[in-house]
Amino acid sequence: IILLGLLITSVYALLGPVDFSQQKHAPPKGRAINNIIELQIALARLGFSPGPIDGTHGSQTKQTLGAFQLSRGLSPTGEMDPSLDKWLRIEEPTHAHIELTEAALAGITPKPATWRERGQLEHFGYHSALEMVAERTCTDPVYIHSINPQINWSALRPGDRALAPLVPPFRIGEKIAGIEIELAKRELRALDASGNMLVHCPASIARDVAKRPVGRLEVKVRVENPNYTFNPDILTATASLEGISEK
């Protein structure tokens, strides 16, 4: 079966390590990009995240494409044009199947209704198989659903497979010297020592302007797998609603 004209040949579980990264300014591999889905996949594979892959040339995709164009010395129009073909192409396969294992399905947990319920969980897992596949492939759940019309997402069994964009974790080959976060554009940029952009992605920010950090910050401590502590002094409305008075 051919879906959306996409080459579908591989199974995520059988691919092993896949790396679509390329050396800075090296000639890209692959063929010309034919649609927005392929554009988003190609960008994400090179560390320029357009947000959830959805096939829509929205503001995040335009912003990310503009950042990529700027990193390659092109005019940051945010639009596809012939000059882009020299720097951005797509390698096959664009999509692959994810095999859903027993362990993965067992890790799906109901969504807690309150913060108290969250605090009683041993881990905060995915709440559905659709959410799991979408999160692991940086893809919008609506798009995942659309290319898997045969799947009953509420009745999946170990060994079932779901089609998704093939976007392996991006590997940064150079040392990051600094990170810039532009709050107005809601974007994050990782730079090398010369100021060249290595990574670009959307960034969420606090609703309260007073809580947004401004200026130069320096990383002092790095914690692996940190825990999350609910602080009623910060989330005052939620704490009052649920009767939480302590951390």
Side-chain angles (χ1 to χ4, degrees):
I1 300 175
I2 298 178
L3 299 177
L4 305 178
L6 302 171
L7 180 64
I8 303 161
T9 59
S10 302
V11 179
Y12 260 96
L14 302 180
L15 284 174
V18 180
D19 187 3
F20 292 99
S21 307
Q22 65 183 43
Q23 295 296 320
K24 188 174 16 178
H25 302 317
K29 301 176 183 178
R31 59 169 173 78
I33 292 170
N34 293 324
N35 51 55
I36 300 302
I37 283 289
E38 292 182 354
L39 171 67
Q40 292 176 325
I41 293 171
L43 287 168
R45 287 175 175 180
L46 296 178
F48 286 74
S49 171
I53 294 170
D54 59 4
T56 301
H57 196 45
S59 58
Q60 282 191 344
T61 297
K62 291 180 181 179
Q63 187 168 304
T64 300
L65 179 55
F68 178 83
Q69 291 169 320
L70 188 64
S71 74
R72 282 0 184 223
L74 304 174
S75 176
T77 63
E79 302 293 338
M80 296 178 64
D81 57 56
S83 67
L84 188 64
D85 189 56
K86 179 181 177 182
W87 298 110
L88 189 65
R89 299 175 72 83
I90 187 74
E91 290 186 69
E92 302 285 6
T94 60
H95 290 57
H97 285 89
I98 290 180
E99 185 170 322
L100 302 172
T101 65
E102 183 175 358
L105 293 175
I108 295 174
T109 59
K111 186 176 182 179
T114 66
W115 282 94
R116 286 188 181 277
E117 291 181 9
R118 293 187 186 191
Q120 295 170 357
L121 295 175
E122 293 184 2
H123 76 283
F124 197 73
Y126 298 111
H127 304 316
S128 70
L130 178 59
E131 180 189 51
M132 177 175 64
V133 172
E135 287 285 340
R136 289 185 176 181
T137 60
C138 308
T139 304
D140 191 296
V142 174
Y143 179 67
I144 294 292
H145 196 278
S146 72
I147 61 175
N148 291 281
Q150 78 288 357
I151 290 182
N152 180 350
W153 290 95
S154 62
L156 288 171
R157 297 175 298 178
D160 287 345
R161 299 188 303 171
L163 184 66
L166 179 54
V167 184
F170 176 70
R171 296 176 175 84
I172 302 173
E174 302 176 53
K175 183 177 180 180
I176 293 178
I179 294 175
E180 293 181 347
I181 299 175
E182 191 166 349
L183 299 181
K185 293 183 177 181
R186 296 174 180 253
E187 67 178 19
L188 179 150
R189 302 179 291 269
L191 312 173
D192 65 14
S194 299
N196 298 308
M197 199 182 316
L198 302 177
V199 173
H200 179 281
C201 61
S204 60
I205 57 178
R207 291 182 182 180
D208 188 345
V209 176
K211 296 178 181 178
R212 300 175 186 174
V214 178
R216 182 180 178 85
L217 305 176
E218 185 175 345
V219 176
K220 294 291 187 180
V221 179
R222 179 176 179 269
V223 180
E224 292 281 355
N225 299 318
N227 69 324
Y228 181 88
T229 301
F230 181 93
N231 189 341
D233 293 334
I234 296 177
L235 299 175
T236 53
T238 301
S240 176
L241 181 65
E242 297 188 19
I244 302 174
S245 59
E246 298 179 349
K247 292 184 180 180

